Amino acid sequence: MPALALTPDTIRTATETLSDLTDYLRENPDPQEEPALAEPLLDEYTGMPVQISDTLCALARAVQEHPDTPRAAQVDLRITELRLAAWEQADQHALHYVLDDLRDLYGSTSASEKGGGRCR
C-alpha cells in the first residue's frame, strides 16, 4: 500500500479536523460523548502530545543532519528549541488520565450537579 503523499494541504486537513472538533465541543455536546471524541487525541501512546513531540524531534534531526544546513550557532539554537518543545509536548502524554477522571465524574454525578468553568 503506497504511503500518503504529505503536502502542506494534507497537514492542513488534519488541523482543520481538530478545529472542527473544537467547534463541536464548544456547542455543549453530551458530556458522556466528549471523552470518547477526545480519546484519540490524548491516547497515551499515539495521541497528539506524543505525535507532536515525535514530529518536532524528527524535524530537529532532519534539519541537523541535512548536508545543506549551515553549521552556525543560530541553527544549533533553533534545533535546541525544537527539542525542548518536543520534551514539553511529551510531558503532556498523561492527559489521558483526565479522560478517565471525567468518565468517573460523569458516571457519579446527576445532571443537576453538572456545571463549572468552560475553557475557550
Side-chain angles (χ1 to χ4, degrees), residues 31-108:
Q32 293 183 351
E33 179 185 19
E34 295 163 3
L37 291 172
E39 190 168 2
L41 295 176
L42 301 178
D43 183 85
E44 180 178 10
Y45 302 106
T46 61
M48 292 302 295
V50 173
Q51 294 297 325
I52 291 172
S53 175
D54 288 349
T55 300
L56 292 172
C57 282
L59 176 59
R61 185 174 44 257
V63 169
Q64 183 177 33
E65 293 177 0
H66 196 279
D68 292 339
T69 298
R71 304 297 171 218
Q74 218 172 27
V75 173
D76 291 342
L77 177 61
R78 298 301 170 248
I79 291 168
T80 299
E81 288 173 344
L82 287 169
R83 289 187 174 137
L84 288 173
W87 276 105
E88 289 172 6
Q89 288 299 312
D91 285 345
Q92 301 302 313
H93 78 280
L95 284 170
H96 69 280
Y97 292 120
V98 173
L99 295 178
D100 294 338
D101 293 342
L102 286 173
R103 283 187 198 95
D104 291 344
L105 286 172
Y106 284 122
S108 64

Side-chain angles (χ1 to χ4, degrees), residues 12-23 41 48 52:
R12 206 169 285 113
T13 298
T15 61
E16 288 170 1
T17 300
L18 289 174
S19 181
D20 290 344
L21 174 61
T22 300
D23 291 344
L41 295 176
M48 292 302 295
I52 291 172

